């Protein structure tokens, strides 16, 4: 009789644990539970924006020691459009406090399930602390609601010479792949924040994906057809197939046109996030009102150089790779740097 009562109690406890777990995953909403169990998809409500930390209070570690289940194919934590404002600069302490499950180095894995995707966020950085704080404040909860396993990397060069975003991204890819077999590499400008968490930070299986298809600076339109700037997502295989970015672009901007050409030359094409999802706000952006934004003419002959200038010719000296509470910082000496023109 005692053994029977003990068995019943164990089953009741297990049932309670699973009930709590289901409520966490389905936002504490019984209707959400039944929708999840029935397999009927939720229709996203884009009628109003939400706070970027919505639903994160529901995250908790699974109460049992059993193996974690895989996360649902479609995260129930997503809310759609987000309220984005740059008026108040968040402190690092505040960002850390609001993201208790982010580990040292900016590493995160869902506490209640096994992530289906592993994404590395790579940011070429040049003393833009204000932008960085805003990005970290918004991007961490954005990614957590997508139930991704991820890490944020900052890559910066020493000295005061001309910034080489393209080479820094190559270095970031090289170093990130030493840490993890990432499914997706997200190349992310520090001054852009996504406005809709249905813009999933995962790669297309077949082709490089342009994420920032609608930036407020450009009136939420592409500035030109082959634009690949801002935020893009490539698998390691995509990145190596096109030999990465060129190492010889000084300044920033032109490398995006080069990479668009490389994608074509490598037998691939650009796919884009739909514009109603790929919306981004640019920090301190001023919309172009007098004449359309134009790209500068490239002085590189990509067709002749892409196979020799890129990941296979990358040279640098790693000075430090340091884990900060919200990101991993990679500092490098990239060799000769021409002075500012």
């Amino acid at each position: 009789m005692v053994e029977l009562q003990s068995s019943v109690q164990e089953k009741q406890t297990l049932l309670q644990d699973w009930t709590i777990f289901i409520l966490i995953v389905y936002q504490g909403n019984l209707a959400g539970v039944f929708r999840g169990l029935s397999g009927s998809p939720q229709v996203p409500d884009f009628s109003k924006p939400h706070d970027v930390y919505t639903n994160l209070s529901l995250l908790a570690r699974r109460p049992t020691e059993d193996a974690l289940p895989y996360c649902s194919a479609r995260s129930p934590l997503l809310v759609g459009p987000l309220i984005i404002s740059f008026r108040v600069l968040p402190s690092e302490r505040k960002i850390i406090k609001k993201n208790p499950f982010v580990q040292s180095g900016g590493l995160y894995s869902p506490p209640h399930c096994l992530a289906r995707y592993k994404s590395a966020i790579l940011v070429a950085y040049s003393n833009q602390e204000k932008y960085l704080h805003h990005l970290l404040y918004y991007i961490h909860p954005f990614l957590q609601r997508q139930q991704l396993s991820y890490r944020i990397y900052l890559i910066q060069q020493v000295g005061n010479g001309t910034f080489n975003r393209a080479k820094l991204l190559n270095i970031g890819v090289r170093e990130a792949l030493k840490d993890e077999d990432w499914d997706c590499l997200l190349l992310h400008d520090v001054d852009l924040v996504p406005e809709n968490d249905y813009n999933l930070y995962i790669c297309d299986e077949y082709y490089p994906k342009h994420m920032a298809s609608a930036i407020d600076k450009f009136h939420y339109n592409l500035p030109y057809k082959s634009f690949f700037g801002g935020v893009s997502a490539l698998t390691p295989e995509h990145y190596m197939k096109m030999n990465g970015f060129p190492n010889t672009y000084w300044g920033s901007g032109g490398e995006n046109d080069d990479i668009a050409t490389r994608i074509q030359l490598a037998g691939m094409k650009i796919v884009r996030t739909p514009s109603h999802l790929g919306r981004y706000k640019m920090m301190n952006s001023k919309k172009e009102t007098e004449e359309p934004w134009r790209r500068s003419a490239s002085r590189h002959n990509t067709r002749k150089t892409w196979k020799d200038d890129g990941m296979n010719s990358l040279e640098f000296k790693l000075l430090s790779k340091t884990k900060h509470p919200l990101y991993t910082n990679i500092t490098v000496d990239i060799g000769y740097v021409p002075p500012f023109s």
Side-chain angles (χ1 to χ4, degrees):
M1 179 66 72
V2 174
E3 291 181 358
L4 178 60
Q5 289 178 341
S6 176
S7 176
V8 171
Q9 289 176 347
E10 288 179 0
K11 290 180 179 179
Q12 288 176 338
T13 301
L14 181 60
L15 179 60
Q16 289 173 353
D17 289 345
W18 270 106
T19 302
I20 292 171
F21 174 64
I22 292 172
L23 289 175
I24 288 171
V25 172
Y26 285 95
Q27 307 178 50
N29 182 297
L30 285 176
V33 172
F34 292 123
R35 276 195 299 269
L37 293 176
S38 66
S40 300
Q42 285 182 273
V43 178
D45 178 12
F46 289 172
S47 62
K48 62 179 182 179
H50 297 77
D51 182 85
V52 73
Y53 283 89
T54 299
N55 290 339
L56 287 198
S57 62
L58 300 173
L59 292 176
R61 298 197 183 280
R62 193 158 174 254
T64 70
E65 296 182 356
D66 297 338
L68 291 177
Y70 277 100
C71 300
S72 54
R74 177 175 176 174
S75 172
L77 303 176
L78 302 178
V79 296
L82 303 170
I83 300 170
I84 307 295
S85 174
F86 305 127
R87 289 194 298 269
V88 179
L89 183 66
S91 66
E92 183 180 59
R93 179 178 296 180
K94 179 179 180 179
I95 303 170
I96 293 172
K97 185 177 180 179
K98 292 181 77 69
N99 294 276
F101 290 108
V102 173
Q103 302 172 41
S104 177
L107 178 66
Y108 174 85
S109 293
H112 60 283
C113 59
L114 293 175
R116 292 175 178 267
Y117 301 99
K118 298 177 293 184
S119 296
I121 317 301
L122 306 170
V123 181
Y125 180 73
S126 179
N127 300 318
Q128 301 144 305
E129 186 175 4
K130 178 181 176 181
Y131 291 171
L132 177 61
H133 278 221
H134 282 306
L135 176 64
L136 293 173
Y137 179 83
Y138 286 108
I139 202 68
H140 273 296
F142 173 90
L143 296 170
Q144 288 169 51
R145 275 202 308 281
Q146 295 186 4
Q147 298 185 147
L148 301 175
S149 176
Y150 70 85
R151 174 175 280 180
I152 296 176
Y153 293 89
L154 262 60
I155 313 98
Q156 55 184 325
Q157 66 194 60
V158 294
N160 297 315
T162 306
F163 186 58
N164 191 329
R165 174 179 177 270
K167 188 170 185 177
L168 290 177
L169 290 175
N170 281 346
I171 294 169
V173 168
R174 174 78 53 86
E175 292 300 315
L177 290 176
K178 292 178 181 179
D179 297 332
E180 179 63 73
D181 184 19
W182 299 106
D183 299 314
C184 192
L185 307 168
L186 276 297
L187 314 179
H188 210 296
D189 281 1
V190 71
D191 60 351
L192 287 178
V193 170
E195 297 183 40
N196 191 313
D197 63 11
Y198 278 84
N199 182 6
L200 301 181
Y201 272 39
I202 60 177
C203 281
D204 182 84
E205 182 179 357
Y206 301 104
Y207 300 114
K209 180 167 66 171
H210 183 228
M211 311 287 289
S213 55
I215 301 175
D216 63 343
K217 177 179 179 179
F218 307 132
H219 307 278
Y220 295 107
N221 292 308
L222 288 177
Y224 53 89
K225 185 177 180 180
S226 62
F227 182 63
F228 198 67
V231 184
S232 54
L234 303 94
T235 66
E237 292 74 21
H238 295 156
Y239 204 85
M240 299 307 173
K241 187 175 182 179
M242 65 187 187
N243 198 21
F245 274 82
N247 296 311
T248 52
Y249 271 91
W250 303 98
S252 61
E255 73 279 357
N256 292 316
D257 292 332
D258 189 296
I259 208 72
T261 303
R262 285 175 179 237
I263 290 171
Q264 181 183 21
L265 293 173
M268 300 182 289
K269 66 178 182 179
I270 295 172
V271 297
R272 299 188 192 277
T273 300
S275 59
H276 71 287
L277 299 180
R279 294 169 64 93
Y280 285 78
K281 284 192 181 296
M282 181 178 286
M283 299 173 208
N284 293 334
S285 72
K286 294 182 180 179
K287 292 185 175 64
E288 309 290 341
T289 56
E290 295 183 0
E291 62 180 88
W293 185 85
R294 298 177 183 274
R295 55 178 170 170
S296 57
S298 174
R299 292 173 292 179
H300 290 66
N301 189 335
T302 307
R303 292 182 179 277
K304 291 184 178 180
T305 62
W306 76 280
K307 290 185 177 181
D308 300 314
D309 179 14
M311 291 297 287
N312 62 358
S313 63
L314 180 62
E315 295 182 356
F316 65 96
K317 182 179 181 180
L318 178 65
L319 300 180
S320 66
K321 190 172 183 178
T322 309
K323 292 182 179 179
H324 291 255
L326 297 167
Y327 58 89
T328 296
N329 185 80
I330 299 171
T331 302
V332 294
D333 180 350
I334 61 174
Y336 169 75
V337 179
F340 288 108
S341 57

